[in-house]
Amino acid sequence: MRNFVSKTASEIPPSGIRKFFDITLTMDSSKVISLGVGEPDFDTPWSVSKSGIGSIEKGMTMYTANRGLPELCSLISSDLEKRYNIKYNPKNELFVTTGVSEGFDVAVRTILNPGEEAIVVDPCFVSYGPEVILAGGKPVPLPCEAKDQFKVTPDALMEKITPKTKVLIINFPNNPTGGVMGKDDLKAISDVIVDHDLFLISDEIYSELTYEGHHVAAASIDGLWDRTITLNGFSKAYAMTGWRLGYFCAPKEICDAALKIHQYVMMSAPTAAQYAGIEALKSGEDAKNEMIEDYRIRRNLFVKGLNDIGLKCHMPKGAFYAFPSVESTGLSDEEFAERLLKEQQVAVVPGSAFGSSGVGHVRTCYAVDRKKLTEAVRRIGVFVESLK
């Protein structure tokens, strides 16, 4: 019998995040402290959950319009303008997606032709490169280094541009580094983007988790709105990961093309989740701010602890990840993560899972209660000391 699995599917590597998460499932969960999965440990605010449940109880379980519930689209549009000063017409410049994951998949398939290159920020979320490949494109890693606070620099971007380059893909605040790009940083790369006639896909799912100052949306920078897809959603800020609710925003011509792909692959986002999203935007502000402030406290506690035990770690200014270097231990990031899990029952993810610029680091998620974070630091310290 011939091999029926496509070459593309065969060659795409499995997620490095899920690998370590799956290992923890074989261990005594009462003993493992997992810092490996990037997910809020808070419950979805009850008023938001109640709205989703209520929609089911009322029988509102049919498909919605492909674009999403009109009220939700309108609220998203208003929220983006209020927070980030970017305007999208809710009727033809945005639509609701099944999480940002679907939005990103649709985005790269909308923009890329076979063989075209997508410059991808590195380190980055594990799905970006494989999604570009599935769209027929070629991912080109763009190194972001600790010395630059893991930001994209114009010089580094220039080095990666070729005649085949079509799009730059960024994610700030960044997963896995917690790095952010301010207005001046974005302006500096916008000149390169415009001068080389590139498009931009900006995944801003962690936008609300910005701890110093305010998040700056890429599309708000002069010259970028009409060449940018903005992706965002509800998973992180409102603790709604399992609801699978995101949104895609772009100029009408791009949005119209993307909506066709969305229609064929997804039809519409989950109906109950959309009603929950409406409630989140109406009444979830206080709960969201309480969660963010707790993350800030945890960040300060955890990053200080990592540095105190000898793992050099820059202060992340966004998201809920710390990205310490483990080079001082003499172990590779893979060895460090595997041995830490086996010997001290603390799960982290090797930085190399997020790209070559992540080598020598591990991603740790501090969306864990303070008692567990303190114990995790203690265990990591015991492990590091044992290596001396």
Side-chain angles (χ1 to χ4, degrees), residues 48-65 69-71 243 268-279 282:
V48 175
S49 293
K50 187 166 64 173
S51 182
I53 293 168
S55 71
I56 296 172
E57 291 177 335
K58 295 172 184 175
M60 295 186 291
T61 56
M62 309 296 283
Y63 295 127
T64 69
L69 292 168
E71 183 180 6
W243 293 85
S268 60
T271 301
Q274 292 190 55
Y275 281 105
I278 289 171
E279 186 61 28
K282 285 183 173 180

Side-chain angles (χ1 to χ4, degrees), residues 9 36 65 103 122 165 173 184 194 206 228 252 279 287 304 314 322 354 387:
D122 180 351
T165 305
D184 290 343
V194 173
Y206 293 97
T228 297
K252 182 179 183 301
E279 186 61 28
K304 180 180 185 302
H314 83 291
F354 303 93
L387 298 174

Side-chain angles (χ1 to χ4, degrees), residues 94-107:
L94 69 82
F95 60 89
V96 182
T97 61
T98 305
V100 173
S101 295
E102 188 226 338
F104 184 83
D105 178 48
V106 169

Side-chain angles (χ1 to χ4, degrees), residues 104-105 107-109 111-112 117-125 127-133 135 138-142 144 152 157 165-172 174 189 193 198-203 229 231:
F104 184 83
D105 178 48
V108 292
R109 288 203 269 174
I111 298 301
L112 289 171
E117 294 177 353
I119 297 176
V120 183
V121 62
D122 180 351
C124 70
F125 183 52
S127 72
Y128 292 171
E131 291 282 10
V132 168
I133 293 170
K138 177 184 177 182
V140 177
L142 172 61
C144 298
V152 175
L157 176 56
T165 305
K166 179 77 167 290
V167 62
L168 168 65
I169 296 169
I170 64 173
N171 162 226
F172 292 99
N174 179 263
I189 66 168
I193 292 169
L198 305 182
F199 200 79
L200 178 67
I201 297 174
S202 183
D203 178 354
I229 291 172
L231 303 174

Side-chain angles (χ1 to χ4, degrees), residues 67 73 76-77 88-90 92-96 248-250 255:
R67 191 175 297 279
C73 292
I76 290 169
S77 175
Y88 291 103
N89 188 323
N92 55 29
E93 292 177 341
L94 69 82
F95 60 89
V96 182
F248 178 114
C249 307
C255 199

